[in-house]
Amino acid sequence: MEALKGIAGSEGYGTGRAVIISNDIPDYEDRKITDAAAEKDRLQKAFDGFLRKTADMIEEMKDRVGESNTAILEGHIMMLNDPYMQEEIMNRIDEGICAETAVKEACDTFIQIFSQTDDELIRQRATDVGDIKLRLLRLLTGTEDINISDVPKGTILVAEDLTPSMTSGIVKDNVAGIVTGMGGVTSHSAILSRALEIPAVLSVKDVMKKVKNGMIIAIDGSSGIAVIDADENTVAEYEEKRSSHLKNKEALREYIGKATRTADGIPVELFGNIGRPEEAEKVLECDGEGIGLFRTEFLFMDSDSLPDEEKQFEAYKTAAQTMGDREIIIRTLDIGGDKEIPYMGLSREDNPFLGYRAVRYCLDHKDIYSVQLRAILRASAYGHIKIMVPLVTCVEEIRSVRRLIEDIKAELDSKGIAYDKGIETGVMIETPSASEIADLLAKEADFFSIGTNDLTQYTMAVDRGNPKVSYLYSVYQPSVIRSLKRIINAADKAGIKVGMCGEAAADALLTPLLIAFGLNEFSVSPVSILKTRKNIGSWTKAEAVKVAESVLLMDTAEKIEDFLKKHVK
């Protein structure tokens, strides 16, 4: 028996027998070809088969996990339909390479490009391309697709990485858990595991070497622990934990429809974060009171050219109409850093996180930015939309954005196009500079939203993707805690709302601090909404203030985290 540590990908507990799923590339002969036309015809048939099968998978997934979770596979169709990707493969055939090798070489090139980024969301594109490559090679070689739907009840799926096409076949009643050698909290396997409510432990080192088919495994998807070759006592312990977890989860349902308040009745707003318009439905399903962060860059990343005004307008309008009169905060384009979009012409930089990105890029490309702002303003006629500007570091930037918005409003007025005349424009506080001048920014902005992921990274001067310095990347650092207090105080003094849309908003350890500091709005992943509502409702303001007073006297992240763990409710 051995306990292996990984990443907590999907909460919950499960026990069962291991079924190993292989991602191995099928064998084929790497041969030279003389009839390029015939080889291209073979490849085109594989393309057609891939698109047909993927469309079938999407329809099946809609029934099992809802339409909002089919976006991953829909993205595969978009990728393979991209003329650039098809040309990259076809051109290799013109050089005398067989279809299988052409697919492998072209896809490996894309995988290498996407894998080099520090952003986990973009690294997932490497997984997407790997999935496309594997499935095309299976079609070209006549190898049968992996059919996960056939695994027996009580199965723990074990794989180096569960690709989207594999996970699409999971039958929830048969799979007790998932363990992988790769992936993170935003990986496709994690997203779909959470959608199916299957516990998952990801990025377990050497898992494929250590696990054998049929081995008994007990997993804790909440802490990221997988116990392999588990004995009877361990299985019984984890089954008891599973039963308790399910009871607690069912108990959260009592918070559906309830107002979000502290134990002594202080109201706060509880919103959800989304990346695509269809995800707004998930926020409503989870009883979110609004959307605190709509990441718009995915509209740009999922396309091979700039999305025009109508495409953007329809996306924002769809989300607004889904939410009705509930608030929706749309973050304007946040590219650069680790979010590279090839067609936007961003050149390589030595320090991309400190370079030409987000509002800096947008204000230098007002033609692109104006299209987005015009689309958002037009969509504001269909719901309660607010505009949020990312990576603001000085008052000149928010003033420039506001002037641009006023110019667009005047243009819309002249054409008689409807929009919300009172639409608010806020600032995402995610840099030490913005934190230091929060009092000045509060005079320019209608609201604040704190992005704790980048705020922590920049405050600690830590590349959060670099494992050598990851020990410093913690929201519990005294400097980060003090920064949060300063930002919230500045907003409060100016009489504007302040929310938080980073991962820390759902951290139960931080809840008392955020209540004590006076945070108005928590914005979390949809699946965390009810749990966060319960956490907020467990604290009175007086209790929270007492905890915060102690924390503000502490000098290390370790002391703060340990103290908060002892006081968590």
Side-chain angles (χ1 to χ4, degrees):
M1 188 169 74
E2 182 181 3
L4 306 177
K5 185 77 176 88
I7 291 172
S10 178
E11 66 177 17
Y13 301 85
T15 61
R17 291 189 178 276
V19 172
I20 295 175
I21 307 297
S22 171
N23 300 76
D24 292 345
I25 296 294
D27 292 330
Y28 66 89
E29 182 187 353
D30 181 13
R31 55 193 170 78
K32 295 295 180 183
I33 55 107
T34 53
D35 189 345
E39 201 67 7
K40 286 182 179 180
D41 185 57
R42 279 185 68 226
L43 181 62
Q44 188 59 54
K45 286 176 180 173
F47 286 165
D48 294 342
F50 178 99
L51 296 172
R52 186 174 60 253
K53 286 189 174 186
T54 306
D56 290 342
M57 286 180 191
I58 289 170
E59 288 306 310
E60 289 173 13
M61 282 186 72
K62 282 180 183 177
D63 294 335
R64 287 187 296 109
V65 292
E67 191 166 350
S68 62
N69 290 293
T70 63
I72 296 167
L73 289 176
E74 287 166 355
H76 287 198
I77 289 177
M78 288 178 64
M79 274 189 175
L80 192 59
N81 275 329
D82 185 342
Y84 180 63
M85 186 173 195
Q86 293 197 10
E87 284 171 15
E88 281 291 300
I89 302 172
M90 292 290 188
N91 289 344
R92 284 170 167 77
I93 291 177
D94 287 330
E95 296 169 4
I97 294 172
C98 68
E100 289 87 348
T101 303
V103 165
K104 184 179 183 303
E105 287 184 0
C107 288
D108 284 347
T109 299
F110 287 112
I111 289 169
Q112 185 177 15
I113 292 169
F114 290 131
S115 297
Q116 288 172 345
T117 179
D118 290 327
D119 187 284
E120 190 178 351
L121 288 169
I122 298 179
R123 283 202 301 272
Q124 293 313 312
R125 289 190 154 209
T127 302
D128 289 325
V129 179
D131 198 1
I132 291 169
K133 176 180 78 171
L134 179 60
R135 292 181 58 212
L136 283 175
L137 289 173
R138 286 181 178 278
L139 286 164
L140 286 166
T141 58
T143 308
E144 282 191 26
D145 264 338
I146 296 166
N147 190 358
I148 289 179
S149 62
D150 286 344
V151 299
K153 198 174 182 66
T155 288
I156 302 287
L157 291 175
V158 181
E160 185 59 29
D161 189 19
L162 274 181
T163 65
S165 63
M166 291 176 187
T167 7
S168 68
I170 288 177
V171 176
K172 179 182 174 181
D173 291 342
N174 293 347
V175 178
I178 293 169
V179 184
T180 69
M182 295 172 60
V185 291
T186 57
S187 66
H188 298 326
S189 45
I191 291 168
L192 289 173
S193 298
R194 290 193 292 268
L196 290 163
E197 299 180 321
I198 296 172
V201 179
L202 315 174
S203 282
V204 177
K205 189 178 179 182
D206 296 330
V207 67
M208 297 297 278
K209 294 177 182 177
K210 294 183 175 183
V211 176
K212 295 180 174 58
N213 265 318
M215 184 178 276
I216 300 295
I217 298 180
I219 73 169
D220 174 355
S222 304
S223 301
I225 301 291
V227 181
I228 62 172
D229 201 15
D231 59 24
E232 288 183 10
N233 289 338
T234 303
V235 170
E237 176 192 344
Y238 273 66
E239 278 300 309
E240 189 175 329
K241 287 181 177 180
R242 178 176 178 272
S243 177
S244 177
H245 172 76
L246 292 174
K247 285 177 184 175
N248 290 337
K249 194 169 185 179
E250 184 61 29
L252 285 176
R253 295 186 61 81
E254 73 174 82
Y255 291 91
I256 294 175
K258 288 190 175 181
T260 307
R261 298 178 183 275
T262 60
D264 51 345
I266 299 171
V268 295
E269 293 178 311
L270 183 54
F271 292 176
N273 300 331
I274 67 170
R276 292 177 174 84
E278 60 270 18
E279 292 171 14
E281 294 176 6
K282 185 68 175 176
V283 174
L284 290 181
E285 285 174 23
C286 297
D287 201 33
E289 297 158 21
I291 291 171
L293 173 63
F294 181 172
R295 306 177 186 90
T296 60
E297 56 269 19
F298 295 104
L299 285 168
F300 294 75
M301 290 166 60
D302 288 345
S303 176
D304 56 5
S305 61
L306 277 170
D308 62 22
E309 183 180 326
E310 285 307 308
K311 182 174 182 179
Q312 293 191 59
F313 165 68
E314 288 298 333
Y316 309 143
K317 175 185 171 184
T318 296
Q321 288 181 322
T322 300
M323 296 305 294
D325 59 358
R326 302 187 191 205
E327 192 173 301
I328 172 170
I329 299 175
I330 299 179
R331 183 177 71 186
T332 60
L333 183 58
D334 185 8
I335 61 159
D338 49 12
K339 301 185 187 81
E340 185 178 344
I341 301 175
Y343 62 78
M344 299 195 81
L346 288 165
S347 56
R348 186 189 176 280
E349 297 178 271
D350 289 335
N351 293 299
F353 282 103
L354 304 180
Y356 193 49
R357 55 168 298 205
V359 70
R360 302 167 182 179
Y361 176 92
C362 290
L363 287 175
D364 199 33
H365 292 79
K366 289 190 175 72
D367 52 337
I368 294 172
Y369 202 29
S370 294
V371 169
Q372 180 176 43
L373 291 172
R374 195 180 300 112
I376 294 172
L377 284 167
R378 287 173 56 202
S380 71
Y382 297 87
H384 187 187
I385 286 176
K386 294 183 177 183
I387 299 170
M388 180 163 65
V389 186
L391 205 78
V392 169
T393 55
C394 56
V395 294
E396 292 89 342
E397 289 167 333
I398 183 62
R399 286 173 181 167
S400 295
V401 174
R402 279 191 169 282
R403 283 195 295 270
L404 188 55
I405 290 172
E406 290 305 314
D407 289 343
I408 296 169
K409 284 181 176 180
E411 177 193 336
L412 294 176
D413 286 338
S414 69
K415 295 179 180 178
I417 298 174
Y419 65 92
D420 177 6
K421 307 278 187 184
I423 191 170
E424 295 184 10
T425 301
V427 169
M428 193 164 185
I429 306 289
E430 51 189 330
T431 66
S433 172
S435 172
E436 287 288 340
I437 61 165
D439 58 327
L440 303 179
L441 289 172
K443 296 174 183 176
E444 308 289 336
D446 296 316
F447 65 92
F448 283 170
S449 187
I450 305 171
T452 50
N453 300 349
D454 268 346
L455 182 64
T456 303
Q457 173 175 249
Y458 288 124
T459 298
M460 294 304 299
V462 167
D463 175 359
R464 66 189 188 207
N466 185 339
K468 292 182 179 178
V469 292
S470 61
Y471 68 96
L472 290 168
Y473 180 77
S474 168
V475 73
Y476 308 115
Q477 291 284 356
S479 56
V480 180
I481 298 294
R482 293 182 183 199
S483 186
L484 296 177
K485 185 175 187 297
R486 182 193 303 117
I487 295 162
I488 296 170
N489 284 350
D492 183 53
K493 285 180 181 177
I496 64 172
K497 280 175 54 176
V498 55
M500 179 182 287
C501 56
E503 290 177 15
D507 186 342
L509 299 189
L510 287 174
T511 300
L513 300 187
L514 300 177
I515 290 172
F517 296 160
L519 190 74
N520 305 122
E521 173 231 303
F522 294 66
S523 192
V524 301
S525 64
V527 294
S528 298
I529 287 172
L530 294 180
K531 187 190 296 183
T532 304
R533 182 171 291 152
K534 179 186 177 184
N535 290 337
I536 292 168
S538 301
W539 290 92
T540 65
K541 179 84 170 189
E543 290 171 335
V545 168
K546 189 175 179 181
V547 168
E549 286 173 346
S550 297
V551 164
L552 290 169
L553 296 174
M554 295 177 184
D555 56 6
T556 69
E558 184 180 7
K559 287 179 184 176
I560 290 174
E561 186 174 5
D562 287 346
F563 178 80
L564 292 174
K565 281 180 178 176
K566 289 173 184 173
H567 289 79
V568 70
K569 293 195 177 185

